[in-house]
């Protein structure tokens, strides 16, 4: 096993605070918004007193990995119940790119190029739809559903750029003077003290790529706190280290993930789409891939796809599929003539309630997407994450006011019990089994979602979830009947010799047309990294993607980590072990769950470690 990074003997500076927070997203925005309102009285005097600086309000620090609190996320549509509860007089004009939802459509996309891998049942459905094409309102290889199920609708909801929303929330919170938010400061690990979490350790600076000290070495500071609030998302190292130490509650797992790949686009001048228009798509470029198209004010749109874990391709990708999706006639009529503003990618933890970790322990609580709050039935996570932060802050304020310590028992009563009685919990239980059917196929998955939604979770399509390494077929198995094993071997060897992507060669062979790059909207993956939100990582930090077991990489036949990498940061190595370029990494975390090898000590984990790191995508829109 490589790169243990044992630095426990190093002398470190330490600082005592009352509450330390890890990660700034919607969940932490909800937590800090609610917390800061309860720390002082109307006259400015402390409502509760700090234990580290008596006479002042509690000292609260928040550390965020990204170089800005608005980097690395994208457009979203949400019902916004929790957000509106926190801001009953919310004025959307104060938040760039925000708009109320005015129109929502779900469309099934047919395959206009004939290369999509569709089941016989879907091919039959496509033929039936095409037989009545003249009766359809659109001649665009698509059919809009006449009925949008209530559980999918976002009536009265909000359309937001989460990057812009986070910046607005951050200014509100820091304007109170009650909390400090520090971007560009990754947290390496939780601090354990006598079986409890006693704070966090920041990442070492001034190291080589393996984490060894160099000139200018600055050990990461220890931030000691009575309470650590963890909202570092699905791939955050602090949350995952807690899960590795404590395990997940019985019956819970994190086997369902997705990569969201998206663009922000200046729509063409002729576009008549109204701000607040929301389009959802499914069926293309592969049946497992879902899409979204959101129209913001100023003739700007967020558009993208979700590539899920149940898409069992051993060479699944995201960027090329994104471009084929954009080129679908149903969408291209809106996008043609547009211009790329920014591009990005993010990993989504889609196990939902079933992926919920231990929410509280001695000295810590978990909030947000990493706490299992995403509703996998409605495809909604932002408002749910926000609400978990609100509920956590209410519980923390309750304990502060009565002077009770942050023990597991007290936090279970003050926070977890609140969450169990909330709409987040109730709706999460309805959605808990909604996606089980996708483990058996797309049609059964869609039927399962409909059953769960229409019966309020009482009926769902059964299915057995497996860890990623146990789901994935070999390349030869996946392409059986389409490409002979001997030809696959020749393609693999040619790609290896030329340093090219295997998924591109195999997609070409299966009939996917070349993407007509125009230098404006349809650009190469590398150009998207340069044009659409710069990717950069400051020097002096260790690599955060580590291949733990090189022998497993050498014998891996798929190298899916390379094919799925959103930033082309992982490439083939001479010895068979992939190489990692941290200056290209967008921190989406796709490699973490797309590794085709199981960790030798835990089949629920992969053989890739995603550690604390800086840098990433620089775009407040994406």
């Amino acid at each position: 096993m490589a790169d243990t990074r044992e630095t426990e003997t190093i002398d470190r500076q330490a600082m005592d605070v009352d509450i330390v927070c890890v990660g700034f997203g919607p969940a932490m925005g909800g937590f800090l918004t609610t917390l800061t309102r309860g720390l002082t009285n109307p006259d400015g005097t402390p409502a509760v007193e700090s234990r580290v600086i008596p006479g002042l309000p509690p000292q609260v620090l928040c550390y965020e990995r990204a170089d800005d609190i608005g980097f690395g996320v994208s457009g979203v549509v949400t019902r916004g119940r929790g957000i509106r509860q926190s801001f009953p007089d919310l004025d959307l004009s104060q938040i760039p790119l925000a708009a109320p939802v005015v129109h929502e459509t779900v469309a099934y996309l047919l395959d206009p190029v004939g290369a999509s891998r569709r089941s016989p049942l879907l091919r039959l459905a496509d033929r039936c739809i095409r037989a009545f094409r003249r009766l359809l309102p659109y001649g665009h290889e698509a059919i809009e559903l006449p009925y949008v199920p209530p559980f999918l609708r976002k009536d009265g909801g909000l359309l937001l750029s989460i990057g812009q929303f986070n910046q607005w929330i951050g200014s509100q919170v820091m304007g109170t003077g009650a909390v400090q938010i520090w971007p560009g400061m990754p947290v390496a690990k939780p601090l354990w003290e006598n079986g409890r979490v006693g704070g966090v350790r920041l990442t070492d600076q001034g190291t080589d790529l393996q984490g060894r000290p160099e000139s200018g070495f600055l050990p990461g500071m220890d931030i000691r706190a009575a309470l650590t609030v963890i909202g570092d998302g699905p791939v955050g190292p602090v949350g995952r280290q807690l899960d590795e130490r404590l395990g997940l509650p019985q019956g819970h797992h994190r086997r369902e993930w997705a990569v969201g790949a998206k663009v922000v686009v200046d729509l063409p001048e002729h576009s008549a789409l109204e701000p607040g228009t929301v389009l959802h798509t499914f069926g293309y470029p592969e049946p497992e891939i879902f899409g979204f198209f959101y129209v913001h004010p100023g003739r700007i749109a967020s558009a993208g796809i979700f590539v899920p874990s149940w898409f069992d391709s051993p060479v699944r990708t995201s960027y090329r599929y994104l471009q084929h999706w954009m080129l679908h006639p149903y969408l291209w009529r809106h996008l043609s003539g547009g211009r790329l503003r920014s591009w990005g990618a993010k990993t989504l933890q889609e196990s939902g309630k079933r992926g919920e970790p231990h929410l509280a322990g001695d000295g810590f609580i978990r909030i947000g997407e990493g706490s299992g709050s995403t509703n996998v039935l409605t495809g909604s996570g932002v408002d749910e994450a926000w609400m978990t932060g609100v509920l956590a802050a209410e519980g923390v304020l309750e304990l502060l006011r009565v002077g009770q310590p942050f023990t597991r028992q007290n936090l279970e009563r003050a926070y977890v019990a609140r969450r169990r009685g909330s709409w987040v919990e109730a709706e999460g239980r309805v959605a808990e089994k909604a996606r089980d059917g996708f483990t058996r196929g797309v049609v059964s998955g869609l039927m399962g979602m409909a059953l769960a939604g229409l019966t309020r979770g009482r009926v769902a399509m059964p299915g057995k979830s497996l860890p990623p390494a146990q789901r994935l077929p070999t390349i030869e198995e996946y392409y059986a009947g389409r490409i002979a094993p001997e030809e696959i071997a020749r393609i693999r060897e040619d790609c290896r010799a030329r340093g090219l992507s295997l998924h591109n060669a195999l997609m070409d062979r299966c009939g996917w047309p070349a993407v007509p790059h125009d230098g404006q909207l349809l650009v190469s993956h590398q150009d998207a990294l340069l044009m659409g939100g710069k990717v950069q990582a400051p020097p002096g930090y260790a690599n955060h993607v580590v291949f733990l077991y090189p022998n497993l990489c050498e014998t891996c036949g798929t190298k899916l980590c390379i094919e799925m990498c959103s930033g082309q940061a992982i490439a083939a190595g001479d010895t068979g072990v992939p190489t990692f370029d941290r200056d290209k990494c967008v921190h989406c975390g796709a490699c973490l769950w797309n590794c085709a090898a199981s960790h030798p000590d835990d089949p629920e984990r992969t053989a890739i470690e995603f550690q604390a790191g800086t840098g990433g995508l620089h775009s407040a829109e994406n």
Side-chain angles (χ1 to χ4, degrees):
M1 176 173 169
D3 196 12
T4 56
R5 301 191 190 176
E6 183 61 51
T7 57
E8 298 302 318
T9 59
I10 295 174
D11 291 332
R12 298 177 182 274
Q13 293 183 331
M15 178 170 60
D16 291 327
V17 299
D18 293 283
I19 299 173
V20 63
C21 306
V22 183
F24 187 84
M28 201 62 71
F31 176 80
L32 294 175
T33 295
T34 306
L35 182 74
T36 54
R37 291 173 178 175
L39 293 181
T40 57
N41 296 312
D43 62 0
T45 60
V48 291
E49 191 170 304
S50 169
R51 294 190 177 186
V52 297
I53 309 180
L56 293 178
Q59 302 299 292
V60 183
L61 295 183
C62 177
Y63 293 100
E64 162 59 32
R65 173 204 61 78
D67 292 342
D68 187 88
I69 59 175
F71 287 170
V73 284
S74 73
V76 67
V77 61
T78 175
R79 289 175 180 155
R81 291 168 290 177
I83 295 172
R84 289 190 185 277
Q85 177 182 316
S86 297
F87 299 99
D89 300 319
L90 181 64
D91 181 1
L92 292 182
S93 68
Q94 301 301 308
I95 307 173
L97 301 183
V101 174
V102 298
H103 177 72
E104 192 168 13
T105 300
V106 178
Y108 172 69
L109 306 182
L110 283 75
D111 176 9
V113 301
S116 179
R117 189 185 179 93
R118 304 171 101 76
S119 67
L121 184 58
L122 277 180
R123 292 192 183 279
L124 176 61
D126 288 358
R127 285 197 293 269
C128 292
I129 292 172
R130 285 195 171 98
F132 295 94
R133 184 173 178 179
R134 291 183 179 180
L135 302 178
L136 300 178
Y138 300 100
H140 299 289
E141 295 283 327
I143 180 171
E144 293 183 348
L145 302 189
Y147 169 73
V148 180
F151 60 86
L152 287 180
R153 291 200 301 264
K154 305 298 188 296
D155 299 328
L158 307 174
L159 182 58
L160 301 169
S161 161
I162 293 302
Q164 298 289 347
F165 179 70
N166 280 351
Q167 289 186 334
W168 181 75
I169 291 297
S171 66
Q172 303 288 311
V173 169
M174 288 187 286
T176 67
V179 61
Q180 297 181 48
I181 302 175
W182 291 91
M185 298 289 285
V187 176
K189 60 188 292 185
L191 295 176
W192 290 92
E193 299 175 352
N194 300 319
R196 70 181 300 276
V197 173
V200 298
R201 175 168 295 168
L202 303 183
T203 302
D204 293 341
Q205 302 179 40
T207 73
D208 65 12
L209 296 181
Q210 286 68 48
R212 295 184 292 259
E214 293 188 318
S215 60
F217 176 66
L218 180 63
M221 182 183 293
D222 286 347
I223 311 298
R224 298 193 293 251
L227 177 66
T228 301
V229 183
I230 302 158
D232 57 354
V235 298
V238 177
R240 287 189 296 102
Q241 287 177 61
L242 285 177
D243 294 340
E244 291 168 14
R245 176 161 178 153
L246 302 175
L248 294 179
Q250 186 174 4
H252 288 205
H253 62 75
R254 294 189 161 182
R255 299 171 187 160
E256 276 76 53
W257 297 73
V259 166
K262 54 260 185 171
V263 290
V264 177
V265 176
D266 278 326
L267 294 173
E269 293 184 4
H270 61 74
S271 175
L273 291 173
E274 184 180 1
T277 298
V278 174
L279 305 178
H280 307 282
T281 72
F282 67 103
Y284 183 83
E286 297 287 3
E288 296 88 348
I289 293 175
F290 293 81
F292 64 89
F293 190 106
Y294 307 146
V295 182
H296 301 280
R299 215 174 64 247
I300 297 171
S302 296
I305 60 172
F306 300 107
V307 181
S309 54
W310 59 76
F311 176 34
D312 288 327
S313 167
V315 288
R316 57 193 173 205
T317 180
S318 57
Y319 187 74
R320 180 165 176 178
Y321 276 129
L322 170 65
Q323 293 200 316
H324 284 298
W325 175 82
M326 292 166 62
L327 284 164
H328 192 283
Y330 180 77
L331 298 159
W332 191 242
R333 62 194 172 121
H334 299 306
L335 291 169
S336 178
R339 183 182 65 85
L340 180 71
R341 291 173 64 98
S342 58
W343 166 91
K346 179 188 184 298
T347 298
L348 305 168
Q349 208 296 99
E350 297 212 323
S351 292
K353 173 68 178 172
R354 203 169 283 167
E356 180 184 284
H358 295 285
L359 296 178
D362 290 332
F364 77 88
I365 53 176
R366 304 282 294 275
I367 61 175
E369 185 180 358
S371 75
S373 62
T374 300
N375 188 310
V376 297
L377 176 62
T378 64
S380 178
V382 168
D383 202 39
E384 288 79 0
W386 176 275
M387 199 63 198
T388 64
V390 170
L391 296 167
E394 291 174 350
V396 169
L397 286 169
E398 175 187 311
L399 296 178
L400 286 172
R401 287 167 183 148
V402 296
Q404 293 186 346
F406 296 116
T407 63
R408 182 190 63 79
Q409 183 178 11
N410 287 340
L411 291 167
E412 289 272 1
R413 172 176 52 80
Y415 163 46
V416 179
R418 271 184 167 84
R419 182 157 163 174
R420 296 288 179 246
S422 70
W423 60 263
V424 175
E425 174 78 10
E427 295 180 8
R429 290 197 177 278
V430 168
E432 187 170 2
K433 300 179 180 179
R435 294 195 179 183
D436 287 1
F438 282 109
T439 63
R440 303 169 59 184
V442 175
V443 174
S444 61
L446 293 172
M447 291 174 60
M449 287 187 66
L451 286 171
L454 297 175
T455 66
R456 300 290 299 164
R458 290 185 290 271
V459 180
M461 186 70 70
K464 183 179 181 181
S465 179
L466 295 172
Q470 296 179 27
R471 288 189 59 107
L472 286 169
T474 65
I475 293 176
E476 289 75 13
E477 290 169 340
Y478 184 75
Y479 286 103
R482 302 187 78 181
I483 310 177
E486 297 79 11
E487 186 176 359
I488 291 175
R490 289 195 299 269
I491 293 173
R492 181 187 280 118
E493 184 57 34
D494 180 63
C495 288
R496 182 183 295 120
R498 299 168 61 192
L500 299 177
S501 163
L502 186 59
H503 75 256
N504 270 329
L506 292 172
M507 289 179 72
D508 291 345
R509 171 62 178 78
C510 289
W512 287 97
V515 175
H517 293 150
D518 58 16
Q520 179 169 299
L521 179 56
L522 298 174
V523 300
S524 71
H525 197 172
Q526 187 62 43
D527 284 344
L529 292 167
L530 296 173
M531 293 169 56
K534 298 296 185 292
V535 181
Q536 56 189 93
Y541 289 91
N543 279 341
H544 52 276
V545 171
V546 179
F547 303 98
L548 296 173
Y549 299 92
N551 59 311
L552 295 180
C553 298
E554 291 170 354
T555 58
C556 177
T558 65
K559 300 291 193 292
L560 184 54
C561 59
I562 297 174
E563 308 300 326
M564 194 59 175
C565 181
S566 299
Q568 297 183 325
I570 300 177
D574 294 337
T575 64
V577 180
T579 62
F580 173 66
D581 184 349
R582 57 189 298 272
D583 289 319
K584 294 182 178 180
C585 180
V586 302
H587 286 263
C588 72
C591 55
L592 180 63
W593 67 269
N594 276 285
C595 176
S598 290
H599 191 288
D601 300 327
D602 184 355
E604 296 295 332
R605 295 168 57 194
T606 63
I608 287 179
E609 184 71 20
F610 200 85
Q611 301 177 344
T614 59
L617 199 66
H618 284 209
S619 170
E621 296 177 334
N622 238 329

